[in-house]
């Protein structure tokens, strides 16, 4: 698998990206009753992201044979939650990042207050979109989707992960377990994985689950397989992110390298070393693909996405 999606996967990504970009354009261009907020929503929401989480909604729905028409609102909702999290994460009180998606982060282009409000607005909009009555989905399924996304985004999911990350910031390995026993290192890795499972993994898992919920009567065995797939790619995504922060191409990433180091963060690379981090990423992608054993070729896009995640350049 190439560093950028290639061949059939590249075409699949493009189709999905076009579909989500059109839908976000419609949503965000008419979403605000105040001009500055409207401009901020469009600036951040329509910036070129990979749209990985919506793509996971579509690909998971495809794996379980769902009607593609049922997937668009869920795909928009996960991307809105993701974008809000990036906007807030970039603020001075959090990661204090000046660049996002290759351009000034929202609080730099506007101001902190507008960035906070745009993030808040996107979060609310995600749930408004997800609760819109939809012919293809029973209300009980939509309720389950809303609970799934709220749980993943909230205090037992992404926000908890961000809180763990904030608490750990500035505690370099030297002050922690690096010089400790193998047992202490294993504990440090466990803590790191727990933080990432919450901070980024929860929303990735929710994206896969929302896609599956678009179909009727998915068996418990298949849901469990998708859950296992999602938790493995969630970690693999983060390990790759840590590797890219050390050896990626700043132009492709749209931001400078070394941000983890500058904020003294413990990462897979600082914990395991570059070589072992690469091995861990590949193992996680292999395990993700192995989880899909109960599925036919309908899950091939998910299989390809697992490979892409650990080879991506941005
Ligand atoms: C502020 C509540 C709150 C949460 C923030 C996810 C998150 C939680 C912060 C992001 C910090 C970060 C850069 C983590 C590394 C992994 C990651 C989520 C990268 C960005 O996601 P991509 O690569 O971004 O999918 P694009 O721009 O392609 O959508």
């Amino acid at each position: 698998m190439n560093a950028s999606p290639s061949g059939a996967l590249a075409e699949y990504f493009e189709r999905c990206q076009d579909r989500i970009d059109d839908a976000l354009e419609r949503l965000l261009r008419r979403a605000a009753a105040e001009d500055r907020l409207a401009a901020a929503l469009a600036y951040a929401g329509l910036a070129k992201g990979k749209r990985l989480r919506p793509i996971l909604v579509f690909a998971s729905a495809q794996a379980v044979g769902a009607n593609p028409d049922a997937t668009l609102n869920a795909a928009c909702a996960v991307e809105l939650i993701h974008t809000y999290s990036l906007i807030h994460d970039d603020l001075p009180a959090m990661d204090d990042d000046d660049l996002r998606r290759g351009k000034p982060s929202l609080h730099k282009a506007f101001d902190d207050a507008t960035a906070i409000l745009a993030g808040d607005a996107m979060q609310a909009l995600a749930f408004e979109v997800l609760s819109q009555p939809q012919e293809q989905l029973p209300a009980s399924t939509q309720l389950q989707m809303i609970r799934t996304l709220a749980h993943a985004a909230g205090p037992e999911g992404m926000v908890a992960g961000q809180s763990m990350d904030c608490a750990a910031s500035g505690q370099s390995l030297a002050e922690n377990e690096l010089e400790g026993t193998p047992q202490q290192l294993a504990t440090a890795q466990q803590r790191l994985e727990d933080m990432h499972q919450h901070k980024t993994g929860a929303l990735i898992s929710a994206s896969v689950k929302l896609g599956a919920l678009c179909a009727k009567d998915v068996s418990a065995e298949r849901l469990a397989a998708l859950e296992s797939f999602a938790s493995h790619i969630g970690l693999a995504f983060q390990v790759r992110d840590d590797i890219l922060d050390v050896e990626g191409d700043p132009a492709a990433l749209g931001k400078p390298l070394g941000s983890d180091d500058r904020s003294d963060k413990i990462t897979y690379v600082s914990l395991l070393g570059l070589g072992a981090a690469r091995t861990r990423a590949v193992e996680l992608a292999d395990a993700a693909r192995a989880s899909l054993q109960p599925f036919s070729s309908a899950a091939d896009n998910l299989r390809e996405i697992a490979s892409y995640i650990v080879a991506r350049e941005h």
Side-chain angles (χ1 to χ4, degrees):
M1 166 63 50
N2 287 326
S4 302
S6 62
L9 188 67
E11 279 168 34
Y12 181 70
F13 266 45
E14 254 172 59
R15 277 203 308 280
C16 293
Q17 284 160 345
D18 288 349
R19 195 169 171 226
I20 192 76
D21 286 351
D22 287 352
L24 288 173
E25 176 93 37
R26 284 194 301 275
L27 262 174
L28 292 171
R29 293 264 182 228
R30 64 165 166 75
E34 192 276 324
D35 289 349
R36 189 169 173 79
L37 180 62
L41 289 172
Y43 179 90
L46 305 179
K48 285 290 166 211
K50 292 185 288 297
R51 312 302 192 205
L52 180 65
R53 294 149 194 82
I55 291 171
L56 284 169
V57 174
F58 297 143
S60 169
Q62 182 184 36
V64 295
N67 176 352
D69 293 342
T71 59
L72 192 57
N73 287 356
C76 287
V78 293
E79 186 65 13
L80 287 167
I81 294 286
H82 169 59
T83 307
Y84 123 69
S85 82
L86 298 180
I87 295 169
H88 281 193
D89 185 64
D90 289 339
L91 284 164
M94 300 221 189
D95 265 12
D96 196 9
D97 279 319
D98 294 354
L99 285 175
R100 172 65 61 188
R101 293 174 168 170
K103 54 184 199 170
S105 40
L106 188 61
H107 67 280
K108 286 281 167 189
F110 289 72
D111 53 71
D112 291 4
T114 306
I116 292 168
L117 292 171
D120 292 344
M122 279 194 193
Q123 178 162 207
L125 192 58
F127 291 102
E128 189 178 338
V129 172
L130 201 51
S131 59
Q132 239 155 38
Q134 260 193 279
E135 264 172 42
Q136 308 90 349
L137 291 172
S140 58
T141 301
Q142 285 191 254
L143 203 52
Q144 209 182 339
M145 288 177 155
I146 291 166
R147 277 178 65 97
T148 298
L149 187 59
H151 189 79
E156 287 183 75
M158 183 177 75
V159 172
Q162 182 74 354
S163 190
M164 292 174 202
D165 195 16
C166 290
S169 262
Q171 299 178 3
S172 66
L173 274 175
E175 294 154 22
N176 285 275
E177 294 88 353
L178 183 62
E179 304 187 351
T181 62
Q183 174 69 45
Q184 284 173 315
L185 275 174
T187 307
Q189 185 170 345
Q190 188 51 53
R191 266 216 304 272
L192 184 69
E193 301 210 339
D194 189 40
M195 186 264 284
H196 289 311
Q197 286 287 18
H198 287 84
K199 190 173 113 169
T200 50
L203 192 57
I204 286 178
S205 290
S207 304
V208 171
K209 184 161 179 199
L210 291 189
L213 285 172
C214 293
K216 276 187 226 132
D217 302 328
V218 180
S219 69
E221 183 209 14
R222 286 180 153 222
L223 273 180
L226 287 172
E227 254 170 53
S228 165
F229 169 81
S231 94
H232 284 102
I233 59 162
L235 273 186
F237 181 87
Q238 190 59 53
V239 181
R240 184 66 189 155
D241 212 74
D242 289 353
I243 294 170
L244 287 173
D245 194 53
V246 175
E247 61 165 20
D249 169 10
L253 290 170
K255 57 173 191 175
L257 301 187
S259 58
D260 293 333
D261 210 28
R262 276 191 298 283
S263 49
D264 245 352
K265 280 191 180 172
I266 297 177
T267 69
Y268 284 96
V269 175
S270 66
L271 203 54
L272 305 176
L274 205 44
R278 285 198 202 102
T279 306
R280 177 85 179 121
V282 171
E283 282 168 1
L284 286 163
D286 288 346
R289 278 190 305 272
S291 307
L292 296 177
Q293 189 271 328
F295 289 90
S296 68
S297 59
D300 280 353
N301 279 322
L302 288 179
R303 294 185 177 96
E304 292 287 317
I305 289 169
S307 305
Y308 155 74
I309 277 177
V310 293
R312 68 195 172 92
E313 289 297 350
H314 65 94

